[in-house]
């Protein structure tokens, strides 16, 4: 039986290797590079939410929902800023790391202190906390927070 196995195994592998070598594109080739958006072109995901030129997307606000030493899930918030002034939009773009940090901190504080595990997140409270964070970075009345989604992913 061992001799039979050693004869047929190489015979079965040879056609597979030939097909893999003769394919026009190897399976492990790098995917095509994604071209970056042109200057002045907004994030394509933001265009699905609104067509407004005043909208500045801030996606990816995630926070663990934890009590004590255990994590119960993740709170995911997608929001944006309605910034009517062109000058303020440029300021928001320049301060994007600070804006994102302040917004993440507001979501994390809500998730760890105010959210009741198993309940529905309070979108009004989240928006108010995000608005306060944005007012602290950009200035009061310069940008208005708009929520696109608030989702809880249980663990």
């Amino acid at each position: 039986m061992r001799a039979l196995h050693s004869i047929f195994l190489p015979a079965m592998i040879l056609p597979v290797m030939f097909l893999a070598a003769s394919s026009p594109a190897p399976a492990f080739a790098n995917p095509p590079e994604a071209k970056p958006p042109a200057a002045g072109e907004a994030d394509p995901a933001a265009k699905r939410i609104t067509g407004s030129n005043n909208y500045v997307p801030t996606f990816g606000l995630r926070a663990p929902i934890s009590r004590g030493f255990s994590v119960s899930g993740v709170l995911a918030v997608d929001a944006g800023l309605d910034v009517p002034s062109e000058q303020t939009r440029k300021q928001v773009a320049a301060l994007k790391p600070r804006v994102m940090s302040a917004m993440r901190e507001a979501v994390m504080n809500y998730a760890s202190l105010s959210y009741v595990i198993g309940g529905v997140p309070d979108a009004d409270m989240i928006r108010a906390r995000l608005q306060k964070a944005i007012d602290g970075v950009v200035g009061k009345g310069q940008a208005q927070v708009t929520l696109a989604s608030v989702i809880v992913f249980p663990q």
Side-chain angles (χ1 to χ4, degrees):
M1 180 72 170
R2 183 174 282 208
L4 185 62
H5 178 68
S6 64
I7 293 172
F8 286 112
L9 186 60
M12 292 180 349
I13 292 176
L14 188 60
V16 173
M17 289 177 57
F18 176 74
L19 286 173
S22 65
S23 70
F28 51 85
N30 292 334
E33 290 186 31
K35 65 178 187 178
E41 183 180 321
D43 182 12
K47 289 297 181 190
R48 289 184 297 211
I49 295 171
T50 180
S52 173
N53 292 329
N54 297 342
Y55 186 75
V56 178
T58 57
F59 295 105
L61 303 170
R62 310 287 184 260
I65 301 168
S66 60
R67 296 294 181 271
F69 294 108
S70 66
V71 176
S72 302
V74 175
L75 176 66
V77 177
D78 287 334
L81 303 175
D82 182 30
V83 187
S85 166
E86 177 69 31
Q87 182 180 358
T88 307
R89 274 195 304 280
K90 289 179 183 178
Q91 180 185 6
V92 167
L95 296 173
K96 187 82 172 205
R98 287 185 58 200
V99 166
M100 292 299 294
S101 177
M103 292 179 82
R104 282 190 186 108
E105 185 177 340
V107 171
M108 287 180 70
N109 284 339
Y110 174 80
S112 63
L113 300 174
S114 299
Y115 176 69
V116 177
I117 296 172
V120 176
D122 187 350
D124 291 332
M125 183 183 289
I126 293 170
R127 194 205 57 75
R129 288 183 178 203
L130 288 171
Q131 187 66 54
K132 185 175 180 182
I134 290 302
D135 288 347
V137 175
V138 179
K140 189 167 182 131
Q142 298 297 313
Q144 183 177 358
V145 173
T146 57
L147 293 180
S149 66
V150 178
I151 303 171
V152 173
F153 295 101
Q155 189 163 2

